[in-house]
Amino acid sequence: MTKDVIALTPKMPDTGALLAALHAGGPELGLTATDDGAVLQLCSGEGCPLVSVEAPLLVHTPGEAERLLGAPAGVPAPPYWWTETRASTAVPAAESLAGSVCGRLTMLLGGTTWPPGAGHTARVTTPGEGARPAAVSGPVLPVVDVLTDSTAVVLADRPVVPLTAWLSDLLRATARSDRAFHLVTPPHVRLTLPLRTALGGTPNRWVVQDPAGGYHDGLSGVRLAWRDGTFAPLGTEVADAFTSRVTPEGHRQLTVSFRTVHAPDADLELGGALEAAWRHLTGAPPAGWGTAEPVNLPWSRRQLTEAARDRAPAPAHLVVIGTPERPAIATHRVTRTTAGVAEDTTLTLGYTAPDEVPLDALEALAGKLVGAHGLTTMLTTLRRARADLTLPPHLEPPPLPIAFTLGARDVRTIGLTHARRPPLAVRPRQLGPATAPALHYPLGDGTDAAAWTALQVLSDHLKAGSPA
């Protein structure tokens, strides 16, 4: 059973409501906060975190509850407040405590709890009641289910696991403590693409518990076992469960990954290339953006720019979402570089049939980003994968390259003559002004794996022309 409980309320959880909710376990429980204050933690008398309570989010974006929770009944119309709690599975009473926190919020503010029936208002007796919380030295990790010297393990059972503020905080905390992060789920659970991106690679893992027992890696399928305080591969054998299920027939994901670089002007407004690409491929702007999921803020380039400036000189990592009618999601990273302000965007769109994919719009998109937004590179790929843009724990074919675009600055560095003569059957198309052209290289239509060979040949050719 899931240990996450969420309150969806039409009214803001103000200080009084939050205090009433946080007293679900009585005044004896301790209260701590993470470094940025985004996550509160109810702690036992021994100082162990029992329940994490994320700061309430005002969700303006339509469809977020449906995207992440299924179709829960009683969800208020946007805007509504989303308050997410998570209980430690190490303490049996913790889940009931999380349910009481959320149940008290909905009793006071209206709305509903998820999962259905999890909310209540009873006072919950917890271990160590009557003792004062012990002082905790050093940084405190958010609620985890197993913590060893090498690994923080979280168990999750919900339809879709998103990149919540709590998970973002936990990923940062485990990295600071030189630990791996392992997310353990049943086989029916899926991840959002932003969480998949945030997990990165080794030592972090998505661990899937097989129905017949045992574990496997949710991304590679390699069998795993718990050894010496962490999940480790059992050789190279792939679990049967990883290869026995298939993606719905006809579903496709088109991914456009591009970088733009701008001079660090005081009047610079970020997100222009992202919005232009979104409009070009969907006919509408993004619906919302945020620093985690659920994506809660209505789309605003001005607010996105302010958030990036607030985080500077550190990078800003953002999530952007489309409307429910046109599945699209992007991760967006803003960094300061020696060349200026760089925006790295990975935009993925879902389609239920191959003929819906707008392959004929890609060259025009490249030209638009080259002409107006300082494009440096753009790689477009197509893969057979779920149109709802979630990641299941079974085998999906790898993406296949469609096209690569090289911006004018790199073309000039490499040399136009060299750059436009790769040893490929198809010649590049010149974009932008003749005095400072960019080059667009068609590589395939998303059906032939030989496109990867073509991309490697092109990459080697361009590197050969670059200055040492």
Side-chain angles (χ1 to χ4, degrees):
M1 181 178 294
T2 182
K3 301 302 180 182
D4 299 339
V5 186
I6 300 168
L8 307 170
T9 61
K11 297 180 181 178
M12 181 181 72
D14 57 16
T15 302
L18 283 172
L19 286 174
L22 293 171
H23 274 74
E28 294 84 5
L29 292 183
L31 185 65
T32 65
T34 53
D35 293 343
D36 59 2
V39 181
L40 299 174
Q41 299 178 121
L42 287 170
C43 301
S44 69
E46 290 75 30
C48 300
L50 299 174
V51 173
S52 289
V53 183
E54 295 189 17
L57 287 174
L58 181 60
V59 177
H60 294 266
T61 313
E64 279 298 86
E66 291 77 10
R67 181 175 75 92
L68 300 178
L69 304 177
V75 177
Y80 58 85
W81 292 88
W82 180 305
T83 306
E84 182 145 349
T85 68
R86 188 174 201 286
S88 169
T89 56
V91 181
E95 183 179 4
S96 182
L97 179 60
S100 185
V101 170
C102 291
R104 290 173 180 225
L105 288 176
T106 56
M107 178 191 70
L108 294 169
L109 306 171
T112 189
T113 57
W114 181 91
H120 64 91
T121 58
R123 187 180 185 276
V124 179
T125 301
T126 57
E129 188 164 321
R132 301 305 300 171
V136 180
S137 60
V140 178
L141 286 172
V143 169
V144 297
D145 297 297
V146 178
L147 184 64
T148 71
D149 290 341
S150 66
T151 306
V153 179
V154 166
L155 309 179
D157 184 0
R158 54 196 288 178
V160 177
V161 183
L163 180 63
T164 62
W166 165 70
L167 273 179
S168 296
D169 188 75
L170 180 53
L171 283 163
R172 289 191 296 268
T174 52
R176 288 196 300 266
S177 64
D178 292 323
R179 289 182 172 93
F181 170 72
H182 289 180
L183 176 69
V184 182
T185 74
H188 63 266
V189 172
R190 291 167 279 127
L191 307 187
T192 65
L193 294 183
L195 177 56
R196 166 65 185 94
T197 300
L199 279 177
T202 305
N204 297 336
R205 287 190 186 277
W206 177 18
V207 181
V208 179
Q209 187 168 16
D210 292 337
Y215 301 89
H216 67 266
D217 189 290
L219 303 178
S220 69
V222 172
R223 292 190 181 278
L224 303 171
W226 181 255
R227 293 176 174 174
D228 301 323
T230 192
F231 284 98
L234 281 172
T236 59
E237 182 184 1
V238 174
D240 292 339
F242 186 72
T243 57
S244 61
R245 289 176 290 166
V246 297
T247 299
E249 185 65 32
H251 283 213
R252 297 291 186 272
Q253 289 180 8
L254 178 70
T255 298
V256 185
S257 302
F258 55 92
R259 163 172 273 216
T260 57
V261 179
H262 321 277
D265 189 276
D267 297 325
L268 173 64
E269 191 171 72
L270 301 172
L274 170 59
E275 181 174 325
W278 212 292
R279 288 182 181 274
H280 187 85
L281 295 173
T282 72
W289 75 283
T291 57
E293 295 176 289
V295 176
N296 63 310
L297 299 170
W299 175 247
S300 169
R301 291 180 58 192
R302 177 184 59 79
Q303 292 181 343
L304 183 151
T305 302
E306 291 173 353
R309 283 178 174 158
D310 287 344
R311 286 163 174 75
H317 298 269
L318 309 171
V319 181
V320 185
I321 196 76
T323 62
E325 298 77 27
R326 175 62 279 163
I329 194 166
T331 55
H332 189 69
R333 186 172 186 263
V334 181
T335 53
R336 290 297 301 268
T337 71
T338 55
V341 180
E343 296 182 88
D344 291 283
T345 302
T346 300
L347 167 61
T348 303
L349 304 97
Y351 304 91
T352 56
D355 58 7
E356 296 177 356
V357 183
L359 296 180
D360 56 356
L362 297 176
E363 184 175 335
L365 171 60
K368 182 176 294 186
L369 298 184
V370 165
H373 298 283
L375 180 75
T376 62
T377 58
M378 185 174 86
L379 175 65
T380 306
T381 62
L382 185 66
R383 68 183 307 208
R384 180 180 173 182
R386 292 178 62 101
D388 64 7
L389 306 180
T390 60
L391 183 71
H394 64 71
L395 180 64
E396 288 187 322
L400 297 174
I402 300 293
F404 177 75
T405 306
L406 189 68
R409 184 187 65 182
D410 288 342
V411 168
R412 182 170 57 251
T413 300
I414 293 170
L416 177 59
T417 300
H418 182 85
R420 68 183 178 186
R421 293 180 179 174
L424 298 174
V426 178
R427 293 302 179 192
R429 279 76 176 249
Q430 190 166 304
L431 306 176
T435 54
L439 293 175
H440 180 74
Y441 303 86
L443 298 170
D445 62 1
T447 62
D448 189 352
W452 276 117
T453 302
L455 180 61
Q456 185 61 58
V457 168
L458 173 62
S459 177
D460 292 343
H461 177 78
L462 295 176
K463 288 178 181 176
S466 299

